[in-house]
Amino acid sequence: MRNPEQFCLVQKADKARTVHIVLPDQDLTGLLGPQAAALLEMAGQPQCGRLYLVPGGEGVAKAVFVIDATRRDAARFGALATGLPAGEWQIASSEPVRMLCPDIEQDATLGFCMGAYRFAVGHDVAFPTRLVLTDDARAVLPLAQATWLGRDLINQPANLLGPEELAEEAAAVVSAQGAVCEIITGEALTMAYPCLSAVGAGSDRPAQVVKAQWRGSKAPLDAPLLSLVGKGVCFDTGGYDIKPASGMLRMKKDMGGAALMLALAHVIMAQDLPIRLELRLGCVENSISGHAMRPGDILTTRAGLTVEVGNTDAEGRLVLSDLLTEACEQQPEWVLDAATLTGAARVALGPDLPALFCNNPEWAQIFLSAGAELGDAMWQLPLWHGYDAWLCRKNAHLGNVTDKPMAGAITAALFLQHFVEPTVKWAHIDTYAWNDSSIPGRPEGGETLALRALVEATLRMINEKAGLS
């Protein structure tokens, strides 16, 4: 796992230049002296989101970044990583900024790391602009590491990251944090996860399941259990219902749900939160061969329900079904799963908004409010029971798709709900896991959408359970 601290941060720098974080109506004279008037004359009234470079005797002497204090979004500070000249820089914020944005230093550091991210196969990309890491900002390092980890995994080409490589990487990450981890393969996997096994049967690269358990150092033996489940389809051809060539171009990202859950697990463990944690990742490849599942096949799940395969390209829900069943067998307080599950969610919400489905209104509100406050939003779609009948089949309990050309994200979530105990608080995130273009803090490529919101939501869930909210 790459550490941003080694690439774009420094512990101290005697000659670091300063980037001032300011408000749009702030008087800059105290910060810039006589240069303030010159800056205003050249650039006009400072605008939110703009980075202004202030010249000095030997080039750029300092910089000014203007923020909107009415909203919080660490990603906006990615503009510092891409806009500041090479060299070492330090953050400075005025009293008015700190009063309105008490977490400004942590947000700026995290956003800088998000914007400094670069991916390349076989070598590390040197980053010429570095930020001084202060003691106050050090708390965001696990989140920055997790963001890079998730992006690195999603960006890896499928020939370099198959089920085995994904499983091994995940095991290394959680084991480094003290988790007990096992990788399940072969006959043991087929017996424990028959539906997941059927998805991976078409590939020469065998399916793997990562299963990890961890308990915080301050968590009692009966501490609440959070179970994370991720779809790790390392490449999705669509199976016999093969995707067109254009539909396969980004299918290396079909393990984005697993990357997101692993990233979240890393932060939880690095922050030593007082809970018990379980992580399950289904690492498979949906390929085509004489061993691959076919349209019309009827599979038996771990839960004992039978599923008729109406479309082999709806494989993600088959992968998750067995994992969700096993997660609920441990009687967790919360179950959270994430998957690049449906194109229907993208049609409804676009690429930036993961769809949230949840069986508990209060828990759903924790996710939504955390996302809205941090600028890392999700949008809730309903688990509308009226569509559940669409999944019924004559020859099996369920179909993995419906005959209706509508509500695909909802019916996929309803399918998953059949494998979740009604007494367990459950949330499902249907994510795109990708940036189609580069904007501040979010370079084109793999993305851990909603990660910041999920970390904050986890903290709020723990506090609520402890009666601290």
Side-chain angles (χ1 to χ4, degrees), residues 324-325 327-329 331-332 335 359 416-426:
L324 288 170
T325 299
C328 289
E329 291 168 0
Q331 300 180 322
V335 172
N359 66 356
L416 295 179
Q417 192 173 28
H418 283 271
F419 302 93
V420 177
E421 289 295 328
T423 56
V424 174
K425 291 180 181 177
W426 166 64

Side-chain angles (χ1 to χ4, degrees), residues 348-362:
L349 301 176
D352 295 347
L353 283 174
L356 171 70
F357 296 86
C358 190
N359 66 356
N360 182 280
E362 291 76 21

Side-chain angles (χ1 to χ4, degrees), residues 367-389:
F367 285 108
L368 296 174
S369 60
E373 291 171 23
L374 294 179
D376 197 20
M378 294 167 274
W379 202 265
Q380 188 174 13
L381 295 179
L383 288 163
W384 176 239
H385 62 85
Y387 299 156
D388 205 34

Side-chain angles (χ1 to χ4, degrees), residues 333-347:
E333 181 75 20
W334 312 283
V335 172
L336 173 64
D337 79 74
T340 50
L341 205 65
T342 68
R346 308 288 72 76
V347 172

Side-chain angles (χ1 to χ4, degrees), residues 228-275:
L228 305 179
V229 176
K231 170 191 171 184
V233 177
C234 295
F235 194 81
D236 181 17
T237 66
Y240 278 114
D241 290 303
I242 191 169
K243 296 176 183 289
S246 60
M248 281 196 241
L249 288 176
R250 289 178 179 161
M251 279 301 100
K252 67 179 183 179
K253 76 175 182 67
D254 211 22
M255 38 62 65
L260 178 59
M261 292 296 93
L262 178 61
L264 176 58
H266 170 74
V267 179
I268 290 171
M269 292 185 290
Q271 293 183 345
D272 195 20
L273 298 186
I275 58 172

